[in-house]
């Protein structure tokens, strides 16, 4: 009896840990997924950089912590990560890459400074820490919406299958 109880507790703990691992790291083979995420992150950084550089995206002015267009791209990317089960860390990576693309473009606007100073601005530890925190906030929001959307679609499909089977 006691062994059954301990076995059940272990099984519950293993499922809970597997769930947390799946939420954080996603499901499926890790290496291929992280390569894909790295490529998408690089693409998002380039899209954001180019969007701001060409004037497709704009900063409205005043004191701006996160411009609306960059935040929207972050939310969409993290939402995709949640829907595609890429993991919350994958969503965070996509959000931070998007914000880094915006910050890199902003550094090009400081044209009076030497190139080395502009690069130093982009990779400054304090600035990167701020981007990491902002990315985490946006990633959690977007990822949650994407994951709930995936869960809703799966429930609708399961309900439709039950009604057509019966």
């Amino acid at each position: 009896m006691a062994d059954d109880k301990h076995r059940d507790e272990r099984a519950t703990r293993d499922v809970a840990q597997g769930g947390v691992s799946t939420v954080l790291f996603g499901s499926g083979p890790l290496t291929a997924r992280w390569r894909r995420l790295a490529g998408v992150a690089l693409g998002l950084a380039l899209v954001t950089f180019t969007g701001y550089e060409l004037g497709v995206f704009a900063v409205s002015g005043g004191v701006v912590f996160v411009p609306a267009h960059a935040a929207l791209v972050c939310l969409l990317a993290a939402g995709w990560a949640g829907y595609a089960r890429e993991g919350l860390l994958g969503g965070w990576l996509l959000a931070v890459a998007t914000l880094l693309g915006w910050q890199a473009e902003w550094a090009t606007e400081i044209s009076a400074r030497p190139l080395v100073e502009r690069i130093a601005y982009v990779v400054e530890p304090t600035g990167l820490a701020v981007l990491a925190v902002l990315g985490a906030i946006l990633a959690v929001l977007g990822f949650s919406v994407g994951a709930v959307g995936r869960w809703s679609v799966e429930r609708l499909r399961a309900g439709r299958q039950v009604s057509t089977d019966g």
Side-chain angles (χ1 to χ4, degrees):
M1 232 8 156
D3 289 337
D4 290 338
K5 181 180 177 185
H6 291 299
R7 188 178 21 230
D8 290 343
E9 288 174 358
R10 250 182 294 151
T12 302
R13 185 180 62 240
D14 291 345
V15 168
Q17 288 174 345
V20 169
S21 175
T22 301
V23 168
L24 285 177
F25 301 110
S27 59
L30 196 60
T31 306
R33 192 164 19 87
W34 280 103
R35 273 194 215 124
R36 181 177 57 244
L37 282 171
V40 171
L42 180 61
L44 284 171
L46 289 173
V47 164
T48 307
F49 177 86
T50 305
Y52 280 105
E53 190 67 30
L54 296 177
V56 176
F57 296 164
V59 178
S60 59
V63 177
V64 177
F65 291 107
V66 181
H69 293 105
L72 180 63
V73 173
C74 288
L75 290 170
L76 291 173
W80 169 80
Y83 187 84
R85 295 182 178 159
E86 296 292 340
L88 184 56
L89 288 178
W92 175 79
L93 173 69
L94 299 178
V96 168
T98 300
L99 293 173
L100 195 57
W102 159 68
Q103 186 165 350
E105 191 283 326
W106 192 82
T108 64
E109 300 293 320
I110 312 172
S111 58
R113 302 261 187 216
L115 178 63
V116 173
E117 286 184 29
R118 288 185 273 164
I119 292 171
Y121 167 78
V122 173
V123 296
E124 177 196 15
T126 304
L128 291 176
V130 169
L131 289 183
V133 171
L134 290 172
I137 293 167
L138 292 169
V140 166
L141 292 172
F143 183 86
S144 299
V145 170
V148 167
R150 174 70 174 238
W151 178 81
S152 300
V153 167
E154 288 175 352
R155 293 294 164 246
L156 287 172
R157 287 181 182 161
R160 192 175 303 146
Q161 286 177 353
V162 167
S163 66
T164 58
D165 291 342

